[in-house]
Amino acid sequence: MTAPATQELNSTETAEKAFVHAEGIHKRFPVHGGILNRVVANVHAVTDVSFSIARGETLGVVGESGCGKSTLGKMVIRLLEPTEGKVYLEGSEITGLDHKQMMSVRRRMQIIFQDPYSSLNPRLTVRGLLKEAIAFHNVVTPDKMESYIDELIATVGMRPESKDKFPHEFSGGQRQRLGIARALALKPEFIVADEPVSALDVSIQAQVLNLMKDLKEQLGLTMMFISHDLKVVEHFCDNVMVMYLGRVMEKIQSDRLREQAEHPYTRALLGSNPIDDPDERRPLTVLQGDVPSPLNPPPGCPFAGRCPEVQDRCRTEMPPLEMRVNGQAVACWARM
Amino acid sequence: MWSYILRRLLYNIPVYLGIILLVMLALRVNDPVTAFLGKNATQEQYDAIKADFGLDRPFYEQYASTVWNIVTLDFSARSWEQKRPVGELITTAVPATTMITVPALMITAAISIMIGLICSFYRGRVADKTLMLLAVLGMSVSFLVYIIVGQYFGGYRLGQEAGLVPFDIEGYDVRLSTLTFWASSPIEAVQTWLQYCGLPVLISVIVAMGYDTRFYRAVMVEETGRDYITTARAKGAGSRKIMFVHMLKNAMIPIITRVMISLPFLIVGSILLEVFFSIPGMGRALITAINAKDFPVVEYMSALFAAVVILTVILTDVLYAVVDPRVRLS
Amino acid sequence: MSETTQQPILRVRGLKTSFRTDRGTVTAVDDVNFDVFPGETIGIVGESGCGKTVTSKTIMRLLPERNSIIDPSSEILFDNLNLATAPETEMRKVRGDRIAMIFQEPMTSLNPVFTIGWQLDEALKYHTKLDKKGRRDRAVEMLRLVEIPNPEQRYKEYPHQLSGGMRQRVMIAIALCCEPDILIADEPTTALDVTIQAQILALMADLKERLGTSILLITHDLGVVAQVCDRVIVMYAGRIIEQAPVSDLFKRPQHPYTKALLESIPKAGKRSEDGRLPTIKGIVPSLFELPKGCRFQDRCPFKEQKCVDIEPDLTAHAFDDRPVRCHFPRNQEVDLTTGATG
Ligand SMILES: Nc1ncnc2c1ncn2[C@@H]1O[C@H](COP(=O)(O)OP(=O)(O)OP(=O)(O)O)[C@@H](O)[C@H]1O
Ligand SMILES: Nc1ncnc2c1ncn2[C@@H]1O[C@H](COP(=O)(O)OP(=O)(O)OP(=O)(O)O)[C@@H](O)[C@H]1O
Ligand code: SF4
Ligand SMILES: [Mg+2]
Ligand SMILES: [Mg+2]
């Protein structure tokens, strides 16, 4: 692994040192209603998230459905505009760049979407799909186009004749490979992988994860890897950021996650994941209740309503993300 | 809900005023008096008529008085042609039209929903294929052919000659438009209704059914694939319960939409039917009035149609909320 | 458990289900044999499309009659009835009352236009003699049993007013309200978050304990299987390929597919040296182009000529009494913490 294991996760870390850096980003989606269709409420999808990813590092983002993972991923590469906050790429701010300036940056940052079925245009062949992106950004000269496409297809481990097929002719795992090929087509340096293996069967999941791992190493990619599967994140990422209802609960190195994670929510996540060993059965951690609505997030810690260690203070005041020695950071009053 | 309805009504006031304005302006593109009298009238006749019709007033005054009359439900303005109040005309025409449109609408909907359900249940089997073929055949024949063939066979050959069906070729009994008739001798009323309205209703049902069954079949086929159907079956529900309770209630939104949007078409259709079957309804009255350049009748009737359409749209939205708990009126 | 002394309540023999499709008739599951004993939890695992749902829906006879064919020689013996051939009227008495089922998508499995109470009431109406008041009380009691807060209030609410986890609880309440002998749960937690999955699994385990229901749990999550099942059935391309008590299966998987499947999941808290996962090469064969011999042959590292020529039966091998569908079954311990064979 190229990423330094002791990578500082401090959000106050200077933006220059990190390859990708986000500083206090928020996303609120307005909800319209009433007679004049005014904004009556906001969905607080992402609230005050900061992080840094060093070159070559993979940051895992985990959390339950609707906690803002995809929204965050899209904001980082500016497919969505943050409501507040700044995103930096190699020290220069990309939030606020205009459309034209964004073009060259966009090429360097790509996304692999969650759903291998709907994210590929069904009317284009694989060649068409790849060509579209390549030509738009002038990645290679037209005469080199064909050989470049062949190379890409080989890179993701598919047969050359796949070029003339349509997305529906492929299996889920192959389609996800195509999604990866499309993301790689522009020779990006940074990739947001939004649940790239969630829709796949275990045996195919392993194939795709291995492929991504190889590519990451060969091409020196920096990644943000979104998932709701802790085991996959632990396996694939250097650092993990745990989110709950749009906020960061904990950041920790992934090889320390299982033993050293401190936040009650992270612990609950670990405890509610069944272990693949029937002889080590233990009662699963069962949290009461459901995730609160992002429409009216509670004033204090968003986890307070389900937390086994809740204190009075938790219900009224959001705990700060407190730094620990190893670059671990925890936002919890019970852990101050 | 009432506040919602009120709000919707308020929103539609400007729309409604606009419609009346447009109708009145359109009628006045050519001088209505000349249109009414023809080219050979003398200046005195012309002036007298103009004053009589109230057309000597400035336009905004005419518009204001029409609107005011409609708002106060004052339909005493006189028809130019028939020299009687428009209100009288409307009160005789509306029931006659209702006698045809309402049963036609309800029967069409009921039968086609039924057929749609049956077809979706037997999807791909002979029953489904036959019914759908019939629907396509039915759709490919013109309305006029149905009327003419229907009158000839239904009214003349089978009705008058053979006496097998209780249909007349044409005509109407004004007693049908009175409540007293229906209340005092209901059996005779139904017979009379069948005699005069049975055939036109039957024809409009047949005409609309091809389109409607195909639509409802598509709706029902979509519903049969839903997960909740499997859940219901897993609970032990029988096919009838699933079709008529689970599916039907879920299909209410498309059904209501369909019934409501077919209303304007039904009104147009009733114009044809009323003309061919000599039924003194709204459609025929409107056509006669347009041909006779009888502008007050055209104006008030258009206003009435517009009101019906606007109310239907509002009613549709209210019904959505009634049948589907997920729809909220706001 | 004491299955040896007990009679199975459900006995499936030679189950075969085909579908008529545009490309011809395709057999989705074939030669499926298993027993369900009272009070046990059986897991059915396998990749997408291997026939898990078809198997369970065949037992319940919930497949669309339009294009599915249950082979007349199939036997699904339950309570003196052969469910494979029983008339629909008999099936309706079994469904929801003796065998109940819950599904993967809690968001769409409930009818959106009826209240929760109505939907519980419906099941009780079909299978109990309770009066209106009695059914209502029973329904509220069931909602309380599946730990829905405020059951009286929820009884009057519609599905869209509930979260996914709550809806799955309601589905469980509906399924269990007539105290069935068997609950078939087709991926009941796949669409839910882990913390909600933990709630549902705990709930199911608790209810099973209290009501003595046998559970047929369909899933593709081996972790869930390890957590809650007593016995496991592994399916591949429409066939059962291995059947075993849960800890035997995890410790000594005999079929090469089972073994590879267990190895390919990332291990909790462990990373292999090179950061790579063992994989199974290739993909599942299409049901239209099944090979003559073993269905796993193209992906199997232990394939020999015999595998290409002859399809193996689901039989026990010399070293064990567990049924495996493989000519050359493995007989090695797997270290579950690293996934390596020792
Ligand atoms: N365009 C949008 N308009 C309004 N709300 C939105 C929009 N996109 C997302 N949201 C809301 O923002 C919140 C976060 O959504 P997001 O898709 O980022 O979650 P996620 O963590 O990716 O979930 P999942 O695991 O289900 O993909 C959710 O409550 C979602 O409903
Ligand atoms: N109604 C149907 N018509 C035609 N083929 C079908 C039908 N239902 C299922 N099949 C086929 O039968 C096979 C088995 O499907 P099944 O739904 O049982 O898979 P599964 O194991 O439940 O997979 P998953 O994990 O994706 O739910 C598949 O190949 C599928 O395409
Ligand atoms: S029968 Fe042969 S090909 Fe099939 S799983 Fe066993 S060893 Fe592999
Ligand atoms: Mg997402
Ligand atoms: Mg399934």
Side-chain angles (χ1 to χ4, degrees):
Chain A
M1 253 342 304
T2 47
T6 53
Q7 161 68 41
E8 280 265 300
L9 284 166
N10 194 338
S11 62
T12 56
E13 184 190 45
T14 46
E16 291 90 61
K17 248 170 77 188
F19 187 65
V20 176
H21 176 78
E23 186 71 56
I25 53 177
H26 293 249
K27 183 72 195 181
R28 291 183 288 272
F29 292 106
V31 178
H32 298 270
I35 300 182
L36 299 172
N37 215 22
R38 273 187 303 224
V39 176
V40 290
N42 281 302
V43 174
H44 295 255
V46 171
T47 308
D48 194 17
V49 171
S50 306
F51 60 85
S52 302
I53 311 178
R55 187 181 275 280
E57 181 196 325
T58 301
L59 174 69
V61 180
V62 287
E64 292 179 72
S65 176
C67 73
K69 305 182 295 292
S70 300
T71 307
L72 179 67
K74 287 181 189 156
M75 283 196 292
V76 172
I77 63 165
R78 274 196 69 194
L79 282 180
L80 269 177
E81 233 27 77
T83 315
E84 262 177 61
K86 294 177 174 143
V87 178
Y88 300 85
L89 178 70
E90 278 197 313
S92 53
E93 187 183 336
I94 61 165
T95 30
L97 292 186
D98 64 25
H99 187 72
K100 225 165 148 193
Q101 294 166 314
M102 209 39 220
M103 279 283 281
S104 61
V105 178
R106 177 128 301 152
R107 208 182 123 172
R108 301 172 63 191
M109 311 173 94
Q110 286 294 307
I111 186 164
I112 301 170
F113 287 103
Q114 182 162 359
D115 184 359
Y117 298 91
S118 61
S119 62
L120 299 170
N121 182 344
R123 276 182 288 279
L124 289 180
T125 58
V126 171
R127 179 194 277 111
L129 277 170
L130 296 174
K131 215 170 185 168
E132 198 181 43
I134 300 167
F136 187 70
H137 285 277
N138 296 317
V139 184
V140 293
T141 51
D143 55 309
K144 299 220 184 71
M145 180 72 83
E146 280 305 308
S147 61
Y148 184 58
I149 290 176
D150 288 339
E151 191 188 316
L152 272 172
I153 290 178
T155 312
V156 295
M158 292 177 68
R159 284 192 238 280
E161 61 265 25
S162 314
K163 253 194 329 193
D164 297 309
K165 292 191 179 171
F166 289 92
H168 72 262
E169 296 175 70
F170 294 98
S171 68
Q174 287 174 316
R175 264 181 269 203
Q176 200 53 286
R177 283 165 191 264
L178 292 179
I180 296 172
R182 187 182 53 181
L184 291 178
L186 304 183
K187 301 186 176 160
E189 294 155 77
F190 175 68
I191 288 185
V192 173
D194 188 358
E195 314 225 17
V197 295
S198 301
L200 305 176
D201 274 310
V202 212
S203 76
I204 309 298
Q205 175 177 313
Q207 292 174 1
V208 173
L209 282 177
N210 281 349
L211 169 70
M212 287 178 60
K213 192 117 202 163
D214 293 344
L215 293 173
K216 198 175 82 174
E217 276 156 28
Q218 283 162 21
L219 309 174
L221 293 172
T222 307
M223 284 180 97
M224 178 163 165
F225 186 94
I226 298 170
S227 177
H228 59 255
D229 188 337
L230 275 181
K231 278 182 284 189
V232 170
V233 166
E234 264 183 295
H235 166 81
F236 194 80
C237 306
D238 303 300
N239 293 300
V240 185
M241 181 159 90
V242 181
M243 289 180 68
Y244 191 80
L245 204 71
R247 287 185 183 268
V248 177
M249 298 285 103
E250 180 156 19
K251 293 183 197 171
I252 187 168
Q253 287 151 22
S254 57
D255 44 13
R256 298 178 62 243
L257 176 72
R258 212 151 274 267
E259 307 298 330
Q260 259 100 36
E262 288 183 31
H263 197 283
Y265 177 61
T266 317
R267 298 265 34 126
L269 268 186
L270 288 163
S272 45
N273 240 313
I275 295 186
D276 304 308
D277 185 349
D279 292 343
E280 273 192 31
R281 259 184 218 182
R282 51 168 167 77
L284 298 179
T285 310
V286 176
L287 287 176
Q288 297 305 312
D290 284 311
V291 184
S293 156
L295 259 181
N296 292 302
C301 169
F303 188 55
R306 306 171 77 194
C307 182
E309 298 176 55
V310 62
Q311 306 175 350
D312 285 345
R313 196 174 182 185
C314 307
R315 301 191 196 277
T316 51
E317 215 180 320
M318 177 66 200
L321 193 65
E322 205 187 53
M323 292 300 300
R324 299 281 193 270
V325 274
N326 292 320
Q328 184 175 358
V330 184
C332 175
W333 287 124
R335 296 285 182 273
M336 286 290 155
Chain B
M1 183 164 89
W2 292 109
S3 80
Y4 171 81
I5 296 177
L6 192 72
R7 214 162 57 224
R8 284 291 301 270
L9 284 172
L10 290 177
Y11 274 139
N12 272 298
I13 288 177
V15 177
Y16 192 57
L17 294 179
I19 293 174
I20 298 175
L21 182 66
L22 276 179
V23 170
M24 289 182 67
L25 281 176
L27 289 174
R28 281 161 182 73
V29 169
N30 291 320
D31 182 8
V33 183
T34 323
F36 182 72
L37 284 176
K39 292 249 157 46
N40 304 329
T42 62
Q43 189 61 38
E44 284 92 73
Q45 276 175 319
Y46 181 91
D47 288 340
I49 292 283
K50 191 160 183 171
D52 188 20
F53 291 174
L55 292 170
D56 50 349
R57 295 174 298 170
F59 178 72
Y60 69 85
E61 241 180 67
Q62 299 173 28
Y63 178 62
S65 81
T66 308
V67 168
W68 180 248
N69 287 343
I70 290 170
V71 171
T72 55
L73 300 178
D74 173 3
F75 294 106
S76 59
R78 292 164 73 82
S79 150
W80 294 355
E81 179 71 19
Q82 305 190 24
K83 308 289 178 218
R84 45 185 191 133
V86 176
E88 215 178 287
L89 244 146
I90 291 177
T91 40
T92 54
V94 167
T97 297
T98 320
M99 285 296 131
I100 296 183
T101 45
V102 173
L105 193 68
M106 293 192 345
I107 296 173
T108 315
I111 298 183
S112 2
I113 290 170
M114 237 14 157
I115 298 183
L117 273 169
I118 292 171
C119 286
S120 73
F121 187 73
Y122 291 111
R123 179 153 52 115
R125 308 244 197 104
V126 182
D128 174 33
K129 285 184 176 151
T130 317
L131 285 167
M132 281 305 115
L133 188 71
L134 283 177
V136 173
L137 283 180
M139 280 161 59
S140 40
V141 179
S142 140
F143 200 166
L144 281 173
V145 174
Y146 281 113
I147 293 180
I148 292 162
V149 172
Q151 277 186 324
Y152 178 71
F153 281 105
Y156 177 61
R157 296 301 290 268
L158 295 176
Q160 287 191 341
E161 278 195 357
L164 289 172
V165 288
F167 300 150
D168 259 14
I169 302 173
E170 58 165 30
Y172 187 72
D173 188 333
V174 282
R175 286 183 304 165
L176 282 172
S177 302
T178 61
L179 266 181
T180 43
F181 182 49
W182 285 91
S184 58
S185 41
I187 297 173
E188 197 196 339
V190 171
Q191 281 168 346
T192 320
W193 181 81
L194 271 178
Q195 183 181 357
Y196 295 113
C197 304
L199 196 55
V201 166
L202 186 68
I203 289 174
S204 61
V205 168
I206 291 175
V207 168
M209 229 165 59
Y211 298 90
D212 278 16
T213 43
R214 279 168 59 87
F215 173 80
Y216 290 124
R217 179 185 178 273
V219 169
M220 297 304 172
V221 162
E222 196 170 330
E223 289 303 322
T224 46
R226 299 234 193 263
D227 291 346
Y228 71 81
I229 299 280
T230 320
T231 307
R233 288 185 62 206
K235 282 197 277 192
S239 319
R240 226 169 301 144
K241 184 93 180 189
I242 286 177
M243 289 204 293
F244 293 108
V245 178
H246 286 271
M247 271 165 67
L248 203 55
K249 181 135 193 230
N250 270 278
M252 276 326 273
I253 292 238
I255 289 176
I256 290 170
T257 314
R258 182 72 178 190
V259 170
M260 292 306 188
I261 50 174
S262 57
L263 205 68
F265 293 103
L266 213 66
I267 292 174
V268 175
S270 76
I271 295 179
L272 268 180
L273 286 171
E274 285 166 11
V275 170
F276 273 86
F277 286 90
S278 313
I279 291 165
M282 298 274 288
R284 208 174 68 143
L286 188 61
I287 287 288
T288 320
I290 291 172
N291 285 336
K293 314 278 180 323
D294 193 349
F295 291 165
V297 178
V298 178
E299 281 165 15
Y300 284 96
M301 284 222 176
S302 308
L304 196 65
F305 277 131
V308 170
V309 170
I310 289 176
L311 290 177
T312 318
V313 172
I314 296 175
L315 181 66
T316 311
D317 285 347
V318 172
L319 284 178
Y320 283 166
V322 171
V323 299
D324 192 333
R326 289 164 297 183
V327 177
R328 287 228 312 265
L329 299 176
S330 63
Chain C
M1 266 191 333
S2 52
E3 298 118 45
T4 41
T5 57
Q6 270 174 318
Q7 286 293 310
I9 45 172
L10 180 76
R11 191 181 268 273
V12 179
R13 289 293 174 270
L15 186 143
K16 175 174 175 183
T17 304
S18 315
F19 292 99
R20 278 186 287 267
T21 70
D22 301 339
R23 295 170 61 198
T25 302
V26 54
T27 302
V29 295
D30 195 358
D31 193 20
V32 167
N33 307 297
F34 64 92
D35 292 335
V36 179
F37 291 92
E40 74 170 338
T41 301
I42 300 189
I44 302 186
V45 286
E47 272 171 78
S48 181
C50 70
K52 307 182 293 293
T53 300
V54 171
T55 304
S56 58
K57 285 195 174 165
T58 305
I59 295 171
M60 287 286 265
R61 286 261 301 280
L62 287 176
L63 290 168
E65 273 175 43
R66 199 164 43 81
N67 68 343
S68 66
I69 312 154
I70 301 175
D71 194 274
S73 68
S74 311
E75 287 183 7
I76 305 165
L77 302 173
F78 176 77
D79 203 28
N80 300 325
L81 267 178
N82 181 359
L83 303 186
T85 52
E88 179 67 16
T89 46
E90 288 297 319
M91 281 314 296
R92 276 173 50 197
K93 288 185 210 148
V94 171
R95 287 190 205 123
D97 189 22
R98 310 291 311 280
I99 308 183
M101 190 161 177
I102 57 175
F103 304 92
Q104 177 167 353
E105 283 299 333
M107 297 321 237
T108 53
S109 293
L110 289 165
N111 192 329
V113 300
F114 290 102
T115 60
I116 302 302
W118 189 93
Q119 300 188 50
L120 266 157
D121 191 69
E122 192 190 7
L124 291 166
K125 231 192 291 187
Y126 296 146
H127 305 296
T128 65
K129 294 198 173 63
L130 295 172
D131 62 359
K132 208 166 171 205
K133 167 94 176 36
R135 292 198 305 265
R136 204 206 122 90
D137 291 347
R138 175 96 181 114
V140 172
E141 185 197 321
M142 282 312 297
L143 291 178
R144 191 167 289 127
L145 193 67
V146 295
E147 292 158 20
I148 287 192
N150 239 334
E152 278 95 0
Q153 174 59 31
R154 295 297 184 187
Y155 182 89
K156 289 180 266 178
E157 289 184 358
Y158 289 93
H160 72 273
Q161 293 165 288
L162 273 60
S163 69
M166 294 244 266
R167 282 184 226 188
Q168 200 60 297
R169 285 162 190 271
V170 171
M171 282 295 292
I172 295 176
I174 293 175
L176 295 184
C177 68
C178 302
E179 306 201 339
D181 301 309
I182 303 176
L183 172 67
I184 302 179
D186 189 355
E187 316 226 13
T189 58
T190 304
L192 304 174
D193 283 316
V194 272
T195 60
I196 309 297
Q197 162 169 301
Q199 291 175 356
I200 299 290
L201 292 180
L203 176 70
M204 281 173 56
D206 180 43
L207 292 176
K208 181 189 114 164
E209 207 58 27
R210 280 203 251 173
L211 309 174
T213 317
S214 307
I215 297 178
L216 201 60
L217 180 70
I218 295 170
T219 178
H220 58 251
D221 186 337
L222 289 161
V224 171
V225 171
Q227 183 70 33
V228 302
C229 295
D230 303 314
R231 266 190 319 132
V232 196
I233 292 169
V234 185
M235 292 188 70
Y236 188 81
R239 300 248 194 229
I240 294 184
I241 53 139
E242 183 161 10
Q243 220 186 104
V246 68
S247 67
D248 290 0
L249 186 102
F250 277 77
K251 251 191 272 158
R252 271 189 317 124
Q254 298 186 351
H255 197 284
Y257 172 69
T258 318
K259 183 171 164 286
L261 200 62
L262 285 168
E263 285 167 357
S264 65
I265 15 175
K267 299 293 164 304
K270 305 282 186 315
R271 266 208 257 186
S272 59
E273 288 301 296
D274 56 357
R276 294 175 57 92
L277 291 164
T279 60
I280 310 176
K281 64 173 191 219
I283 55 170
V284 187
S286 149
L287 290 176
F288 287 96
E289 296 152 11
L290 289 173
K292 181 165 133 252
C294 172
R295 295 186 175 183
F296 188 57
Q297 57 179 276
D298 286 344
R299 308 176 74 187
C300 183
F302 311 106
K303 174 176 84 169
E304 300 196 15
Q305 190 55 41
K306 188 178 179 191
C307 311
V308 182
D309 298 335
I310 309 164
E311 180 169 15
D313 286 330
L314 184 68
T315 49
H317 287 262
F319 49 83
D320 208 338
D321 57 356
R322 277 161 48 188
V324 186
R325 194 185 287 280
C326 174
H327 294 305
F328 308 103
R330 307 291 103 196
N331 187 21
Q332 290 164 309
E333 293 266 334
V334 169
D335 181 354
L336 285 172
T337 51
T338 62
T341 18

